[in-house]
Structure formats: C-alpha cells, structure tokens
Amino acid sequence: MSNELPRGLRNNNPGNIRVVNGQVWQGEITGSRKKDKSFCEFVTIAHGYRALIKLLQNYRRKNGLNTLRQMIQRWAPPHENNTTAYLRFVAGKMGVPADCVPDVGNRDTMCAMAAAISEMENGIPAQMPDVLAGWELLNE
C-alpha cells in the first residue's frame, strides 16, 4: 500500500480541476515547473480551494446552474463519474437536499461544498483551515 497522497492533494488541487487552454487560475503553476499536463497544479492548497470555490460560483453566475444537483452534474459528469453517488455524498456532507439552491456568496455554504467535493475527489477529509484560506483568497 502506497503512502503517496492522492493526485488532487499532490497538485494542491483538491477539486481535481482539469487544465483548460487559456484559463490560468490565481496561484496556478504553469510552464516548466508544471508536472501534471492534465490537471491544474497550485502553489498552495488554499489557491486550489479558491479555484474550486470560484468555479462553483461561476456555475451560478455565468452558466445559470442554480441547484446543487445541477452544479454536481457539471462538476462530475456521468461520462467520468457516478454522478448520483457523488451528489448523494456532497449533499449528505452538507446536510442539504440535492435540489437545494446554495448561496454561492455565503462562506459557510461554499466552504462546506468545497470540503465535501475535496473529500469525494481525494478520499480524505478536507482540512477546514485550508478551505477557509481559499475562501479568503477570493477577496484579495
């Protein structure tokens, strides 16, 4: 059994955000320092949580996705994930129904969602100080 951290945590990318041409996140490692060509890498875990939260907020603000169900279906599409199980896990961790409309401007809501996604992606509970640090980076 390997003691190696999951890919998302090795990359300081707790949501396993994929590289998208033309998109560079605050704190993202680029160029010759980058090792993973498929997934984003961040200088700190807080920057990874910032990107995760910002992307979820953009789902509402730019894509019109209102419910937790809609957001998770976009985040973890069925062609890559068991989206039903993913949604059940995140909603259960947050203590909300799958069709709730999360307040994307609320720190506690977004940090709970980011922590649940991180745990689902990496199999390890999120460290809330790291998630909160990501939230704080949104306002810098």
Side-chain angles (χ1 to χ4, degrees):
M1 184 171 168
S2 172
N3 289 330
E4 192 172 273
L5 287 173
R7 183 183 208 173
L9 299 182
R10 286 193 317 269
N11 289 344
N12 286 325
N13 181 359
N16 282 318
I17 299 169
R18 290 189 181 276
V19 170
V20 175
N21 288 335
Q23 169 68 57
V24 178
W25 295 99
Q26 179 183 14
E28 185 177 351
I29 296 170
T30 59
S32 62
R33 292 182 35 217
K34 185 165 174 53
K35 296 176 184 140
D36 191 325
K37 302 305 178 202
S38 298
F39 290 86
C40 297
E41 296 173 62
F42 295 94
V43 294
T44 68
I45 194 79
H47 283 93
Y49 279 114
R50 179 200 176 277
L52 191 168
I53 294 166
K54 186 72 172 172
L55 192 51
L56 292 169
Q57 289 176 327
N58 286 344
Y59 284 174
R60 165 76 51 75
R61 295 174 181 158
K62 294 182 177 182
N63 303 108
L65 304 180
N66 292 314
T67 67
L68 181 62
R69 180 184 308 278
Q70 291 170 326
M71 291 177 176
I72 295 300
Q73 286 173 335
R74 172 97 184 244
W75 188 273
H79 68 276
E80 294 180 356
N81 300 275
N82 179 339
T83 306
T84 301
Y86 202 118
L87 175 61
R88 189 178 314 117
F89 181 85
V90 172
K93 284 287 184 176
M94 292 178 69
V96 298
D99 290 310
C100 78
V101 177
D103 179 351
V104 297
N106 181 275
R107 182 191 79 163
D108 293 342
T109 299
M110 295 311 295
C111 287
M113 190 184 313
I117 288 171
S118 176
E119 185 172 349
M120 184 68 183
E121 291 285 336
N122 298 290
I124 299 170
Q127 300 297 310
M128 285 311 292
D130 293 334
V131 184
L132 291 167
W135 175 264
E136 293 304 318
L137 286 173
L138 288 169
N139 300 310
E140 288 185 357

